[in-house]
Amino acid sequence: MSNTITAAPVRHKNTDTNMFLPKMAKINKVEVFTERETWYEMEYLDKSSLGHTPGQFVEVSVFGVGEAPISISSDPTVEGKFELCIRNAGVVTNKIHQLKAGDTVGIRGPFGTGFDVNKFKGKNVLFVAGGLGLAPLRSLINYVVKTRKEYKDVTLLYGTREPKEILYKKEVEEFEKNKDINFHITVDRGAEGWTKNVGVITTLFPKVKIDDPKNTIVAVCGPPIMYKFVIMEVLAKNIPAENIYISLERRMKCGVGKCGHCQINSVYVCCEGPVFNYAQVRDFKEAI
Amino acid sequence: MHKAMTRAELALFAENLVKTNVVYGVVAKDKQFGWDRILDHKEMVLDYPTTISSPKKYFLPPTETLIEFKLAANPDPKFVNHSQEAILFGMHACDLYATSMLDNAFEDTNKDPNYLEKRKKAILIGVSCMPDPDCFCNKMGVDDAVHNEAKISKKEALYDLFFTNIGHKYLVSIGTKRGEDLLAKYAKPAEASKAELDQLKVVEKKRVESFTSEMKQDVEQLAKLMPKTYNSSVWKEYADKCFACGTCNLVCPTCYCFNITEKVKLNLQEGSREREWDSCMLPQFAEVAGGENFREHVAERLRHRLMRKGLYIKEKFDKSGCTGCARCYRNCTADISIVEMFNRLKEVTENE
């Protein structure tokens, strides 16, 4: 296990002739998180590492059903295995939800450009995760928590619709206890026994103190509707647009910049994204 | 470098090619023309108006298998790449240009093995044409890229061989060594005479003067205009007429977006993953799993398509994304003209 990862994220460059050929992986562990989301730990049958950077994604194949793009949610420095948190949202993901430990899937990737962790080093870090948006951010969050002393203040805001939709419950409890990070959680609708914040994620912003906005880097991931409101709050704290990173959801069919489904204006999200600098995409009308 | 061939010599050349090679060419299909495998050279036509669909269907077939697998505990997926040595005989300038643009797209960043292998094994033989009233390839830089010798010498030719009908004979321009070798192997053409080369100039001048399309802008002007049209009211204007059927994407020689689908054989033991032509004009094209659709309205999809043709591809590969072949107009179910749309965008943007 090493603590170093690729300095700057690079576009996927396939070096062989098999960019459409998935590599077989085995599901090691399965944990049902919520009604809609299930967590998987997988490893390649040949024991090789996935070799991803935080924010990248893979195409998961269930042969005979199809492929779906899924963001990688595990710490990139952990070698030999990787984790995915998958929402049952379509034909392929529905089939994946029926799989058990020991079953195999096909994996292509990792694809896309993730977060450049070097941009976060030495800065205050603010994570804003909405719903399943925690999954792609978790790769980066875990890396930052592991290398905690390299950053100044670390804040994590997490919101879901209801308490029963909270993902990574054990880790969320650890975040709450962890004195090295400022963790705030909210739900849109409370439930019996819920004592924490109720309201959309922007209601957490008054709790966030940003001392040095110019030296604060923000990473946002959530449903499209969330971005506009969260970015308004972030900008209102005088954090420059260039310091905001967002991860955009698209239906990448090929993952290699050809099929066109993920295109926003002239940009292929599967290659140049899914992580974008906000200043880079704010004028793209179709972005969010 | 030009050689000259009589019609009889050209027919013999074609006959020799067909005997020992896989040749694709243009044949009459009902009242129109289309690309097909040529088994008898007499069926192949060289003097024809724009085909219904372009030869892109050879390099990027409407459906193409990418992998095959078993429906078993070990699916054992295998990469599939079918390609063969082939000759495409009779490509018009617009389709040669489109092919070179597709080469860029499939070579960019991640090389597409299926496309590139078919492309590498194909010999492209072009043939001159006269524009019909809708053609505007001259405005899109296509004419220059194929016929302007001064410009061709800077880069590699878009064809291996190119035949121009000068009346009593055909003149052959040799684009590549591969083309030269093919010609030497299957024909014995004479050098073009001074008089024949003069006749070639007359014919080319006549072609250039024959364009009657009302397209007002060239490829550079179009690329400058398009960013200003993003919020134009024109998109809605045409969206109200457009059926969003996607026919324009299918017949367009530079549209290469695709969908990936899964096919299972009737024995339920084997399957394949295929790519098939897709259309950015169809409503579900930019939809994601949760139901969010990033180009929900026809106007947004129409804009995306025209931005690709007039701007995005130009920015990315420094080539026109539109070849001016006008197939999209000829086949449009709502009779929308891309020339009229580009002109209207210019007119309205300049007055807005």
Side-chain angles (χ1 to χ4, degrees):
Chain A
M1 209 182 278
S2 88
N3 261 350
T4 55
I5 60 170
T6 320
V10 288
R11 281 185 193 192
H12 172 78
K13 299 234 181 212
N14 78 304
T15 48
D16 54 33
T17 55
N18 296 339
M19 70 180 186
F20 292 114
L21 184 68
K23 206 162 129 180
M24 296 307 296
K26 187 179 69 154
I27 297 173
N28 283 340
K29 295 177 193 162
V30 179
E31 189 183 333
V32 175
F33 273 176
T34 70
E35 274 173 22
R36 293 191 294 170
E37 286 99 1
T38 299
W39 170 90
Y40 300 86
E41 184 193 272
M42 301 183 183
E43 65 177 11
Y44 277 134
L45 294 186
D46 68 6
K47 308 285 177 196
S48 61
S49 285
L50 188 60
H52 67 287
T53 55
Q56 284 191 304
F57 69 97
V58 287
E59 294 278 352
V60 183
S61 284
V62 181
F63 295 98
V65 182
E67 268 185 325
I70 306 288
S71 50
I72 306 153
S73 62
S74 48
D75 182 340
T77 62
V78 175
E79 288 174 10
K81 54 190 178 186
F82 56 93
E83 298 168 29
L84 309 173
C85 176
I86 301 175
R87 174 176 287 176
N88 184 347
V91 181
V92 179
T93 50
N94 183 281
K95 187 69 190 175
I96 295 171
H97 273 226
Q98 295 167 26
L99 300 177
K100 298 172 198 72
D103 288 340
T104 56
V105 293
I107 297 287
R108 289 194 301 130
F111 293 132
T113 305
F115 296 98
D116 183 353
V117 294
N118 292 326
K119 295 247 165 65
F120 292 70
K121 286 188 177 154
K123 308 273 172 66
N124 297 318
V125 179
L126 169 62
F127 295 108
V128 186
L132 186 56
L134 182 63
L137 277 186
R138 180 179 170 268
S139 176
L140 182 62
I141 293 168
N142 282 11
Y143 179 76
V144 166
V145 168
K146 190 186 237 175
T147 54
R148 176 65 189 86
K149 57 183 181 302
E150 300 200 42
Y151 316 87
K152 291 180 180 165
D153 289 348
V154 175
T155 307
L156 168 56
L157 309 182
Y158 177 40
T160 64
R161 297 195 302 193
E162 294 172 79
K164 66 176 183 182
E165 294 197 347
I166 294 170
L167 305 171
Y168 296 98
K169 281 205 173 71
K170 276 173 248 160
E171 282 180 37
V172 164
E173 281 167 23
E174 282 167 34
F175 289 145
E176 285 179 322
K177 285 180 215 153
N178 190 336
K179 294 210 162 40
D180 290 335
I181 62 170
N182 309 309
F183 179 75
H184 301 284
I185 191 166
T186 186
V187 292
D188 294 351
R189 292 180 296 277
E192 221 181 301
W194 181 259
T195 54
K196 296 173 196 113
N197 196 75
V198 175
V200 293
I201 196 150
T202 47
T203 61
L204 293 177
F205 273 80
K207 299 173 198 269
V208 179
K209 227 175 103 244
I210 304 288
D211 288 332
D212 187 2
K214 297 268 178 299
N215 274 312
T216 300
I217 303 288
V218 187
V220 189
C221 192
I225 182 80
M226 193 191 90
Y227 288 100
K228 292 172 195 173
F229 296 103
V230 165
I231 288 167
M232 281 197 302
E233 294 285 345
V234 172
L235 294 174
K237 292 202 178 280
N238 295 318
I239 296 171
E242 292 73 26
N243 292 14
I244 307 171
Y245 291 87
I246 59 178
S247 178
L248 298 179
E249 183 190 3
R250 287 296 185 278
R251 181 80 166 98
M252 296 92 167
K253 300 254 176 168
C254 74
V256 289
K258 310 288 180 213
C259 81
H261 284 266
C262 70
Q263 213 181 354
I264 301 174
N265 300 98
S266 63
V267 170
Y268 282 83
V269 175
C270 69
C271 287
E272 291 172 58
V275 174
F276 289 97
N277 188 282
Y278 172 63
Q280 184 193 346
V281 293
R282 66 180 154 193
D283 296 328
F284 287 179
K285 286 212 160 185
E286 295 163 1
I288 46 179
Chain B
M1 185 162 66
H2 282 93
K3 304 264 182 186
M5 283 165 95
T6 63
R7 285 172 179 271
E9 284 170 335
L10 177 58
L12 187 62
F13 175 59
E15 189 179 353
N16 288 339
L17 284 185
V18 171
K19 262 186 215 159
T20 48
N21 297 277
V22 175
V23 177
Y24 289 84
V26 175
V27 296
K29 293 199 172 183
D30 197 7
K31 284 173 187 158
Q32 298 195 59
F33 293 88
W35 282 85
D36 214 333
R37 176 76 197 272
I38 304 293
L39 296 169
D40 176 357
H41 76 284
K42 290 192 206 80
E43 287 175 1
M44 189 170 78
V45 291
L46 290 181
D47 186 12
Y48 66 91
T50 313
T51 50
I52 305 163
S53 60
S54 83
K56 106 178 156 185
K57 70 178 181 185
Y58 177 74
F59 299 110
L60 183 68
T63 63
E64 176 175 34
T65 303
L66 299 174
I67 61 166
E68 286 173 346
F69 49 80
K70 297 188 193 80
L71 294 170
N74 178 14
D76 192 22
K78 292 259 191 309
F79 181 64
V80 178
N81 190 359
H82 297 298
S83 65
Q84 58 181 354
E85 303 279 343
I87 297 167
L88 275 74
F89 201 144
M91 288 173 75
H92 279 178
C94 52
D95 291 337
L96 288 168
Y97 188 91
T99 306
S100 81
M101 192 248 105
L102 292 179
D103 291 351
N104 291 149
F106 285 105
E107 270 167 7
D108 180 54
T109 311
N110 302 305
K111 295 188 189 303
D112 187 294
N114 298 62
Y115 175 91
L116 292 173
E117 203 165 302
K118 277 195 277 292
R119 184 65 185 85
K120 201 170 74 187
K121 290 180 179 170
I123 291 180
L124 308 185
I125 302 180
V127 64
S128 64
C129 51
M130 289 300 275
D132 78 11
D134 304 318
C135 290
F136 59 102
C137 66
N138 57 330
K139 291 279 189 183
M140 296 293 100
V142 169
D143 220 42
D144 265 356
V146 176
H147 296 294
N148 190 330
E149 297 266 320
K151 293 200 175 176
I152 292 167
S153 59
K154 287 182 208 156
K155 289 182 190 165
E156 203 178 321
L158 304 187
Y159 52 79
D160 295 290
L161 293 172
F162 193 93
F163 286 84
T164 306
N165 183 352
I166 58 162
H168 62 299
K169 277 189 180 178
Y170 276 88
L171 289 201
V172 199
S173 166
I174 295 168
T176 64
K177 178 74 171 59
R178 206 154 61 138
E180 188 178 2
D181 293 347
L182 189 81
L183 196 62
K185 190 174 173 188
Y186 292 100
K188 289 191 182 60
E191 292 294 328
S193 69
K194 170 80 173 58
E196 285 160 351
L197 290 172
D198 288 344
Q199 179 60 18
L200 176 69
K201 282 189 188 127
V202 173
V203 169
E204 291 197 335
K205 188 162 177 283
K206 190 179 163 211
R207 192 194 61 251
V208 171
E209 288 167 358
S210 303
F211 285 95
T212 56
S213 163
E214 285 172 3
M215 180 69 181
K216 291 203 171 65
Q217 306 163 89
D218 66 21
V219 58
E220 301 297 334
Q221 291 164 329
L222 195 58
K224 281 199 185 74
L225 170 80
M226 292 312 280
K228 299 179 206 154
T229 65
Y230 202 84
N231 297 315
S232 173
S233 57
V234 174
W235 303 118
K236 176 78 173 64
E237 211 175 281
Y238 282 91
D240 288 344
K241 297 179 195 167
C242 174
F243 297 134
C245 68
T247 302
C248 48
N249 298 111
L250 300 183
V251 296
C252 178
T254 65
C255 271
Y256 61 89
C257 292
F258 54 85
N259 193 10
I260 297 182
T261 59
E262 210 88 339
K263 299 270 155 65
V264 173
K265 285 190 184 163
L266 200 54
N267 66 14
L268 299 180
Q269 288 167 5
E270 297 151 287
S272 59
R273 185 163 296 161
E274 326 232 310
R275 69 169 157 201
E276 56 187 30
W277 289 357
D278 207 344
S279 160
C280 63
M281 288 306 302
L282 298 179
Q284 72 276 21
F285 189 82
E287 200 176 63
V288 297
E292 181 87 22
N293 192 338
F294 295 96
R295 284 189 288 275
E296 191 184 346
H297 304 289
V298 180
E300 292 163 342
R301 302 201 290 276
L302 202 56
R303 175 177 62 200
H304 184 70
R305 196 178 93 78
L306 261 74
M307 284 286 177
R308 277 186 69 107
K309 299 304 149 197
L311 179 65
Y312 301 155
I313 284 172
K314 178 77 170 63
E315 283 176 332
K316 204 164 181 180
F317 306 123
D318 195 24
K319 274 191 186 138
S320 175
C322 172
T323 67
C325 71
R327 283 184 176 99
C328 53
Y329 170 46
R330 288 190 204 95
N331 295 287
C332 180
T333 49
D335 226 13
I336 295 171
S337 156
I338 191 166
V339 168
E340 192 192 296
M341 227 184 323
F342 279 140
N343 286 346
R344 180 98 179 107
L345 282 166
K346 176 178 154 67
E347 181 195 327
V348 172
T349 306
E350 282 169 359
N351 294 324
E352 261 175 2

